[in-house]
Amino acid sequence: MNFAVMQPYLFPYLGYYQLVDAVDTFVFYDDVTFIKGGYINRNNILSNGNAQRFTIPVPGMSSNTLINELKFDSNVKKVLKTIEQSYKKAPYFKFIYPMIESVLTSADRSVDHICAKSIIDVFNYLDIPKKFILSSELGYDRQLAAADKLITMSQLLNSPSYINSLGGKSLYDKRYFSSKGVDLSFLEMQEYNYLQSSDEFVPHLSMIDVLMFNSKPQIATLLNNYKLV
């Protein structure tokens, strides 16, 4: 059994979904502070051949406030219109746009709920069963150091294998985790591309772009295009 932990992001990039796909249990880190200027409430889509930023406002957002204490603004008409105009000719638009609309207009405006829904609904669409948990539901000591929090989660989940995104290599020591009985590995994305509406492939966009231009089998192949190091 293995697991991963990440802050809930809004329709993040492919690598986030690869991390979810790589584990049995995925924990949304919802009881940590909101990251201003990060990708919790924004990302990029393809518009007229270029990356274009979309953002859902979070009133009162602060780096001193927990993610699960914040709510998204309810006005998402402009963002939905931008997505619709950008992808209305994409091959899988009629399947994907209603899902995006359902996520962004959710009655529960909690940031953690909507961001988690943007992950969970994609795996439901792909018919890939996953176990999802909120970190706020786990009884771990919030005062511990970052690594020790993850090690405690491993024990609570009975999952001796923890997978982190590649960026965590500078934060976490495999030897320390091993000394605590946890096997730590890092997910490294491999280069990828697929047919878009632009002449040149534009990488590192929101998963929205992947969904709009790829079939379920193609997406499954992209999800597996990584290695653990």
Side-chain angles (χ1 to χ4, degrees):
M1 296 289 289
N2 56 16
F3 77 107
V5 182
M6 281 287 287
Q7 294 94 336
Y9 291 172
L10 183 65
F11 286 111
Y13 76 124
L14 174 64
Y16 190 114
Y17 290 83
Q18 288 181 333
L19 186 61
V20 177
D21 191 58
V23 298
D24 302 302
T25 302
F26 189 84
V27 180
F28 292 111
Y29 220 163
D30 68 320
D31 55 351
V32 292
T33 53
F34 185 89
I35 303 172
K36 293 181 68 174
Y39 286 88
I40 293 176
N41 67 319
R42 62 179 186 169
N43 214 295
N44 295 301
I45 58 173
L46 186 67
S47 183
N48 297 318
N50 297 298
Q52 178 175 323
R53 178 68 50 84
F54 72 86
T55 302
I56 307 294
V58 179
M61 66 179 181
S62 164
S63 55
N64 296 317
T65 308
L66 300 183
I67 294 171
N68 60 15
E69 295 174 340
L70 293 166
K71 295 182 182 295
F72 279 117
D73 192 282
S74 59
N75 187 358
V76 294
K77 290 182 179 179
K78 184 177 179 180
V79 169
L80 284 171
K81 189 65 175 178
T82 299
I83 294 171
E84 180 182 15
Q85 290 176 338
S86 298
Y87 290 107
K88 60 185 177 183
K89 295 183 180 179
Y92 297 95
F93 175 83
K94 67 178 181 179
F95 303 107
I96 302 306
Y97 182 79
M99 176 174 61
I100 295 169
E101 185 176 37
S102 172
V103 171
L104 297 187
T105 61
S106 175
D108 184 344
R109 303 309 296 166
S110 301
V111 168
D112 58 333
H113 168 77
I114 289 180
C115 287
K117 186 173 172 60
S118 79
I119 311 298
I120 296 169
D121 285 10
V122 169
F123 279 90
N124 289 339
Y125 164 74
L126 296 172
D127 302 311
I128 300 176
K130 289 290 168 185
K131 182 179 181 180
F132 294 97
I133 296 175
L134 297 174
S135 61
S136 57
E137 298 172 342
L138 295 174
Y140 69 98
D141 185 351
R142 271 83 180 161
Q143 303 305 313
L144 293 173
D148 292 314
K149 288 179 183 177
L150 297 171
I151 290 166
T152 301
M153 288 183 193
S154 171
Q155 296 164 349
L156 291 170
L157 296 170
N158 195 27
S159 296
S161 178
Y162 172 63
I163 303 177
N164 203 95
S165 61
L166 191 62
K169 288 190 75 173
S170 63
L171 301 174
Y172 304 124
D173 183 353
K174 283 192 173 191
R175 292 170 298 181
Y176 181 72
F177 274 72
S178 181
S179 72
K180 301 295 183 178
V182 181
D183 178 48
L184 169 63
S185 55
F186 301 95
L187 186 144
E188 182 178 303
M189 290 185 72
Q190 304 299 288
E191 290 204 17
Y192 68 96
N193 63 64
Y194 50 85
L195 186 63
Q196 295 172 319
S197 58
S198 56
D199 293 332
E200 292 188 16
F201 180 67
V202 181
H204 311 307
L205 300 176
S206 164
M207 188 65 175
I208 290 172
D209 193 75
V210 175
L211 293 164
M212 288 290 189
F213 289 113
N214 292 277
S215 66
K216 291 183 182 182
Q218 289 171 322
I219 295 170
T221 298
L222 289 168
L223 286 175
N224 283 283
N225 189 29
Y226 66 84
K227 67 178 181 179
L228 297 179
V229 297

